[in-house]
């Protein structure tokens, strides 16, 4: 089974802190994604990567950056956390062949 | 711009009923469509993936159909059980970079 693992289930951070969310997949997938999920807004794409060191902005990249130094790992960085970044963050990966997406368990981030 | 709509937003049924969840999309030029299940506070679990060339996919009590020309997909759940209670999300893949656009989900409650 494909496994996508996010480093934390719950995080509480202070306003202005630099926050790192880590995601690792074990199926050698080319594509990796970061979404945030908010009530009433659904899932919105923040960034995605289709290869090592490659990244593209999604629909809501402001206030975020990403890093993909190795194929299996995709990190989301909040440069200076703000309260409006309190959300559920979901990482996903997919193969370039079928494009079936697999998700991690999510990280509930609270910024106070 | 692709838009994905799921109706109804919430559904409550007695155990044993067969039920249909609906997903509609505005742009028929899709690469694939994927149905997910999400339990409260958790990540997304992939249920079924339908490629654009396919009309339906089946897994156990679940059957998903795709009609690209009308911009619709349905998820059929046979003989519903309380364990089926969750939010069901459909996501449309546009090809190329394999990004998905998500609907806001149908929250299903199956009563024992």
């Amino acid at each position: 089974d494909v496994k996508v693992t996010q480093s934390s289930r719950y995080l509480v951070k202070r306003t202005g802190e630099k926050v790192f969310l880590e995601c690792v997949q074990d199926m050698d997938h080319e594509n990796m994604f970061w979404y945030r999920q908010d009530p009433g807004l659904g899932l919105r794409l923040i960034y995605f990567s289709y290869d090592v060191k490659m990244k593209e902005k999604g629909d809501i990249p402001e206030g975020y950056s990403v890093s993909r130094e190795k194929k299996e790992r995709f990190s989301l960085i909040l440069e200076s956390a703000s309260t409006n970044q309190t959300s559920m963050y979901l990482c996903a990966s997919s193969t370039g062949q079928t494009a079936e997406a697999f998700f991690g368990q999510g990280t509930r981030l609270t910024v106070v | 711009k692709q838009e994905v709509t799921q109706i109804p937003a919430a559904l409550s049924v007695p155990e044993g009923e067969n039920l249909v969840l609906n997903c509609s999309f505005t742009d028929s030029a899709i690469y694939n469509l994927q149905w997910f299940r999400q339990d409260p506070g958790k990540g997304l679990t992939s249920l079924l993936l339908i490629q654009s060339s396919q009309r339906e996919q089946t897994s156990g009590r679940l059957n998903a159909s795709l009609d690209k020309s009308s911009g619709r997909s349905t998820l059929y759940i046979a003989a519903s059980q309380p364990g089926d209670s969750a939010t069901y999300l459909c996501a449309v893949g546009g090809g190329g970079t394999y990004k998905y656009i998500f609907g806001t989900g149908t929250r299903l409650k199956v009563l024992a």
Side-chain angles (χ1 to χ4, degrees):
Chain A
D1 279 353
V2 175
K3 192 160 187 181
V4 180
T5 304
Q6 295 183 228
S7 54
S8 304
R9 286 293 311 278
Y10 302 96
L11 275 179
V12 180
K13 296 292 182 181
R14 295 198 178 276
T15 302
E17 276 194 75
K18 191 169 186 176
V19 181
F20 294 85
L21 302 182
E22 306 285 343
C23 176
V24 177
Q25 51 96 1
D26 66 358
M27 283 300 291
D28 201 36
H29 283 172
E30 295 87 350
N31 308 312
M32 296 189 75
F33 308 84
W34 276 106
Y35 291 87
R36 65 177 281 177
Q37 184 178 31
D38 301 287
L41 296 177
L43 275 84
R44 293 178 292 167
L45 182 64
I46 305 171
Y47 267 97
F48 69 99
S49 169
Y50 51 90
D51 202 351
V52 175
K53 297 190 185 295
M54 305 302 289
K55 61 185 179 184
E56 285 199 23
K57 294 179 180 179
D59 300 317
I60 51 165
E62 296 78 17
Y64 303 94
S65 62
V66 291
S67 172
R68 193 169 181 197
E69 296 296 319
K70 293 184 178 181
K71 191 174 186 179
E72 67 270 19
R73 186 180 297 271
F74 192 36
S75 303
L76 180 69
I77 304 156
L78 285 67
E79 297 291 344
S80 177
S82 64
T83 55
N84 63 12
Q85 292 178 310
T86 291
S87 187
M88 170 72 98
Y89 289 87
L90 293 161
C91 174
S93 72
S94 72
T95 174
Q97 295 176 336
T98 67
E100 184 174 7
F102 296 89
F103 280 78
Q105 76 276 30
T107 296
R108 172 74 66 184
L109 173 67
T110 302
V111 182
V112 298
Chain B
K1 181 183 175 184
Q2 180 74 271
E3 292 182 4
V4 182
T5 304
Q6 291 185 249
I7 294 173
L11 185 61
S12 185
V13 300
E15 182 177 8
E17 274 203 11
N18 302 323
L19 52 97
V20 174
L21 307 182
N22 295 297
C23 173
S24 60
F25 47 93
T26 55
D27 185 349
S28 62
I30 67 171
Y31 185 79
N32 58 19
L33 186 144
Q34 194 167 355
W35 282 93
F36 295 89
R37 168 190 173 132
Q38 186 177 31
D39 293 292
K42 302 285 182 64
L44 278 65
T45 300
S46 177
L47 296 174
L48 290 164
L49 171 73
I50 310 177
Q51 301 293 348
S52 62
S53 58
Q54 298 173 322
R55 294 300 299 267
E56 65 178 336
Q57 283 285 343
T58 298
S59 176
R61 294 183 294 109
L62 304 179
N63 175 274
S65 67
L66 175 64
D67 184 345
K68 281 201 315 177
S69 61
S70 66
R72 293 187 60 188
S73 176
T74 60
L75 179 67
Y76 176 83
I77 303 176
S80 58
Q81 303 170 357
D84 294 330
S85 298
T87 296
Y88 290 80
L89 295 150
C90 73
V92 172
T97 54
Y98 308 114
K99 291 188 295 182
Y100 280 95
I101 305 297
F102 282 82
T104 51
T106 294
R107 191 170 63 253
L108 172 66
K109 187 167 186 178
V110 181
L111 305 170

